[in-house]
Amino acid sequence: MRLKWRRFLVLFLVFGLMLTITKPYTNSLASNFITIYWEDEKQEIDGFGFSGADWSHIPYQLQEPERTEVMDLLFNIDDGIGASICRSEIHPEYSPALGEYDFVSIKPEQLWYIKEAEARGVDKQIATAWTPPAFMKTNNSQTHGGYLIEEYYNDFADLLSEFVVQFEQLHGIDFYAVSMCNEPNASIFLNWNSCSWKGEQIKTFIKDYMKPAFVAKGIDDTKFIIAEPSWWSESLMEPSLNDPVTCDMIDIVGSHQYQLSPSKFTTAFSKGKKVWQTEVCDPGHFDAGIGEGLRWAKNIHEFMVDAEASAYLYWQGVMREGSEGLICTNSDFTDYVMTKRYYTFGHYSKFIRPGYVRIGTSDTGISDTYISAYKNKETGDFAIVAINDTDKIQQFDLLADGFSADKLTPYITDDTLDMQKGSQVPYNDGTYYIALPPKSVVTYVGKENSNTLTDVEVIEDNLDDWSMVYSKSEGWFLDSSNSEYFEGDLSRAARNSGKNEELVYYFDGKDINFFEVKLFQYWYFDALSFYASEDNMSWIEIPHSSYPREWQGSRWYKMAHIPRYIPEGTKYIKVKLTDNSTWEKQISKIKFILSE
């Protein structure tokens, strides 16, 4: 049977396949409706990034070409994930003695890191002071807390302002924002650079020392971030926020999230301040898999949706081994390892650019499935990030409220794919039909008011004969026996012997964007594979997902299979059975989605 509809109303995803065209052959989850509300504007997004800080020597020590590759992967928008915020440290060594500064010979690896990030398009350089110099502190140490001695408040303010002034004069680096402290609430326990601050001390320092120093040196347009506590809470910043004079000097309320769940900072928002999550990671064992990728994708989602954060920073872009970096080097700095959390982070940083605004979505109504959406108000570009943290294909209709776009272009990360670009998902009367593969993150990008409709052709081969098969191996026959185990189907493709057998499909040079295979199996399922080709000569095996099997009687089960990934420009699809059974797998129907 050959069916054809112009401007077909069904939607599909290929190349990193995330949806089916029609309801699957097997029992499926009920379709849900999720709405994207174009006019429901939330917070502005300032960007996504990570630190170099005192660990910028890690990528700095990499050999070439690995060193350049890593920096491209982190900051390049075309070849990497396009991080737009780079966080550095205002090192205490910059002031070796009172009134003396050295911003040239100290920490050259950090300067290199900053310049490499800026050369790749980073538009927000920020810097945090972990601690004042030891001689300014009550414990005469750079580590384990200790307070800034009050008589040195003015000198520390001078160090912070000189850092901004001289980095611009000497190195051409214009810092977007600075922060006076890092994790001041837990610093007594820290064996790295740290300093303790109380809420009232922070207020006094900003109002009476730091802001006047920046004004005096003509850099009062540099934004102030406070106060980056180690756990997600605004309590340490409330004395400053509740003082009208100090509050006017603050631009960003920043916090880390090593404890407590993401939630909205009500005081900060009531004062009109942006909120940033400025550091988080899990310093535990190394895990580069999709489980960790999904964990951090959900964490970003929670900060964007629940906390309404305007920026999200992972701790390190690259780190030696462990889980503190998105990319991990080996111990001798000769190579690096990619992680799934790098790619799932990139689903946000690459496609949700600075200046985008988050827009409202309805609840998914699906357990462990998450949706957030973002738009560029000026250009109409938008991005939708979908997370499926279940072991099932999750289907839903995506409704466009207040906007239209002729297509969505998807990118997928799962256990086998890394931000793979998919073929276009068409638009139909305000709706996109989506099916997310198990354990995946998908970003859909589009442009509002791009109204060119796409012609789509749907073809179904019921295998009543071989007329739609382009070519096949010799060991096939059409089986009509025992139809009671096959939903009454009287014609199914089966094998004469236990040899490997293949079916090849080709449709007059049209692109094959999607397929769905209905297959009956006896007891165990294995030995089914799919391949794609542009020329019927070079073949690529493509991974696939399956809907839950359905018992038919005896030991027969019905299943439907869809690809996760089809290469762009695919003209040929091969279906292959490879086990030694002559009868225990039978193909009932195959549907294809084609485009010109």
Side-chain angles (χ1 to χ4, degrees):
M1 180 188 299
R2 183 181 177 99
L3 304 175
K4 186 172 183 179
W5 291 272
R6 288 296 179 186
R7 296 179 180 176
F8 190 65
L9 306 186
V10 204
L11 304 167
F12 61 93
L13 164 67
V14 190
F15 195 71
L17 201 52
M18 286 150 267
L19 55 117
T20 59
I21 297 303
T22 60
K23 297 298 181 185
Y25 293 107
T26 57
N27 290 338
S28 66
L29 298 175
S31 179
N32 291 272
F33 292 88
I34 301 172
T35 304
I36 309 296
Y37 299 102
W38 188 262
E39 299 299 332
D40 183 16
E41 296 181 356
K42 309 293 185 180
Q43 77 272 26
E44 182 182 14
I45 304 302
D46 290 327
F48 300 86
F50 23 76
S51 300
D54 202 31
W55 296 97
S56 52
H57 67 280
I58 300 293
Y60 187 69
Q61 292 181 78
L62 277 170
Q63 307 297 310
E64 291 290 1
E66 286 79 12
R67 185 165 78 163
T68 296
E69 290 171 358
V70 161
M71 299 307 284
D72 284 340
L73 286 166
L74 294 175
F75 295 110
N76 190 295
I77 189 64
D78 297 317
D79 301 326
I81 58 174
S84 53
I85 301 176
C86 177
R87 179 174 177 246
S88 301
E89 180 175 355
I90 304 175
H91 293 282
E93 292 88 349
Y94 287 142
S95 181
L98 192 62
E100 296 181 11
Y101 305 106
D102 181 356
F103 298 105
V104 177
S105 64
I106 301 298
K107 304 293 182 179
E109 65 277 10
Q110 177 171 271
L111 177 59
W112 166 85
Y113 191 96
I114 293 169
K115 285 182 171 291
E116 291 291 310
E118 191 160 277
R120 290 164 172 82
V122 168
D123 67 346
K124 291 183 178 67
Q125 298 281 357
I126 68 171
T128 298
W130 265 245
T131 181
F135 65 83
M136 295 184 185
K137 296 174 61 184
T138 56
N139 65 350
N140 196 34
S141 172
Q142 293 180 182
T143 65
H144 294 93
Y147 290 94
L148 176 64
I149 299 170
E150 190 169 351
E151 68 180 271
Y152 291 114
Y153 273 28
N154 191 62
D155 299 295
F156 184 49
D158 280 341
L159 169 59
L160 300 179
S161 56
E162 279 298 311
F163 170 83
V164 174
V165 169
Q166 294 201 29
F167 258 76
E168 184 170 13
Q169 292 178 351
L170 297 172
H171 310 300
I173 305 299
D174 182 13
F175 276 92
Y176 176 80
V178 295
S179 175
M180 57 174 282
C181 54
N182 177 80
E183 300 181 356
N185 58 325
S187 57
I188 192 172
F189 306 107
L190 305 181
N191 60 357
W192 53 80
N193 287 354
S194 55
C195 181
S196 298
W197 291 84
K198 296 178 181 178
E200 288 294 329
Q201 292 171 323
I202 293 170
K203 181 187 74 174
T204 298
F205 181 76
I206 290 173
K207 180 169 64 174
D208 296 338
Y209 297 91
M210 186 173 175
K211 187 64 174 183
F214 276 64
V215 170
K217 294 178 181 178
I219 53 171
D220 51 307
D221 58 340
T222 305
K223 298 184 184 302
F224 283 8
I225 303 172
I226 66 163
E228 301 195 69
S230 60
W231 53 74
W232 188 253
S233 170
E234 64 176 336
S235 60
L236 189 67
M237 292 79 88
E238 286 178 340
S240 297
L241 292 170
N242 289 325
D243 177 71
V245 176
T246 311
C247 186
D248 286 344
M249 300 174 178
I250 297 165
D251 302 283
I252 298 163
V253 175
S255 181
H256 302 177
Q257 196 237 336
Y258 291 104
Q259 294 183 53
L260 306 181
S261 299
S263 60
K264 191 170 181 176
F265 283 180
T266 55
T267 302
F269 278 101
S270 71
K271 306 296 183 181
K273 305 304 177 184
K274 288 188 172 183
V275 173
W276 286 18
Q277 187 289 114
T278 52
E279 184 185 316
V280 69
C281 75
D282 183 349
H285 67 282
F286 176 74
D287 185 347
I290 189 60
E292 276 290 286
L294 286 163
R295 172 189 176 184
W296 293 108
K298 290 187 295 182
N299 188 254
I300 299 173
H301 172 88
E302 290 169 351
F303 271 105
M304 295 295 105
V305 175
D306 299 336
E308 297 190 33
S310 290
Y312 181 99
L313 282 71
Y314 198 75
W315 167 220
Q316 291 290 328
V318 57
M319 199 69 165
R320 186 173 60 186
E321 302 172 332
S323 294
E324 296 183 55
L326 299 179
I327 300 173
C328 299
T329 73
N330 58 10
S331 58
D332 59 2
F333 305 104
T334 59
D335 204 356
Y336 57 89
V337 175
M338 303 299 295
T339 70
K340 289 294 182 180
R341 63 180 170 271
Y342 164 87
Y343 294 106
T344 58
F345 182 97
H347 276 273
Y348 292 88
S349 63
K350 187 179 182 75
F351 303 108
I352 304 165
R353 303 305 299 165
Y356 274 46
V357 175
R358 187 172 70 86
I359 53 179
T361 65
S362 63
D363 185 75
T364 66
I366 309 171
S367 178
D368 295 317
T369 303
Y370 312 88
I371 296 283
S372 60
Y374 312 80
K375 71 176 182 181
N376 184 319
K377 296 168 64 174
E378 303 299 323
T379 66
D381 294 304
F382 64 89
I384 302 166
V385 184
I387 303 168
N388 179 8
D389 194 23
T390 76
D391 294 318
K392 301 176 181 178
I393 301 167
Q394 298 291 359
Q395 303 177 74
F396 52 87
D397 290 312
L398 193 64
L399 306 181
D401 181 278
F403 71 103
S404 63
D406 67 313
K407 60 184 178 294
L408 305 178
T409 301
Y411 297 79
I412 178 173
T413 294
D414 61 12
D415 59 344
T416 60
L417 304 173
D418 299 322
M419 294 180 72
Q420 291 281 10
K421 182 181 179 182
S423 64
Q424 298 165 354
V425 182
Y427 171 82
N428 168 59
D429 194 24
T431 304
Y432 306 90
Y433 186 70
I434 304 294
L436 299 173
K439 298 294 182 181
S440 67
V441 180
V442 184
T443 298
Y444 301 89
V445 298
K447 191 175 183 67
E448 200 270 336
N449 276 332
S450 50
N451 290 318
T452 303
L453 294 177
T454 302
D455 288 341
V456 181
E457 188 174 357
V458 179
I459 293 177
E460 183 176 76
D461 186 1
N462 291 321
L463 289 165
D464 296 330
D465 53 40
W466 301 112
S467 62
M468 294 185 63
V469 177
Y470 179 74
S471 66
K472 62 184 178 65
S473 53
E474 296 181 355
W476 293 98
F477 75 102
L478 295 175
D479 188 359
S480 61
S481 65
N482 300 313
S483 62
E484 66 271 21
Y485 297 125
F486 307 107
E487 294 186 326
D489 190 344
L490 294 173
S491 184
R492 307 166 310 271
R495 292 174 294 168
N496 288 313
S497 67
K499 296 180 180 179
N500 295 348
E501 302 293 349
E502 302 172 350
L503 298 176
V504 175
Y505 285 87
Y506 170 77
F507 300 100
D508 302 323
K510 296 177 181 177
D511 285 346
I512 300 175
N513 303 123
F514 175 85
F515 63 85
E516 182 180 74
V517 176
K518 174 185 175 182
L519 178 141
F520 292 95
Q521 65 186 60
Y522 187 79
W523 194 241
Y524 295 108
F525 170 72
D526 58 5
L528 170 70
S529 54
F530 303 109
Y531 299 82
S533 176
E534 293 186 13
D535 55 10
N536 201 25
M537 296 176 64
S538 300
W539 292 91
I540 299 174
E541 184 171 3
I542 51 179
H544 62 278
S545 295
S546 305
Y547 290 95
R549 65 181 186 174
E550 181 181 347
W551 183 67
Q552 300 296 299
S554 182
R555 290 187 174 183
W556 284 98
Y557 292 86
K558 177 179 65 175
M559 291 190 72
H561 309 272
I562 63 172
R564 289 181 169 221
Y565 158 67
I566 296 180
E568 208 166 26
T570 292
K571 309 294 185 185
Y572 300 83
I573 288 293
K574 180 191 296 181
V575 182
K576 188 174 183 179
L577 296 179
T578 57
D579 62 358
N580 59 8
S581 169
T582 60
W583 55 273
E584 71 172 17
K585 290 182 180 63
Q586 301 199 6
I587 300 172
S588 176
K589 291 179 175 63
I590 306 178
K591 285 188 178 182
F592 295 91
I593 306 300
L594 313 175
S595 63
E596 299 289 347

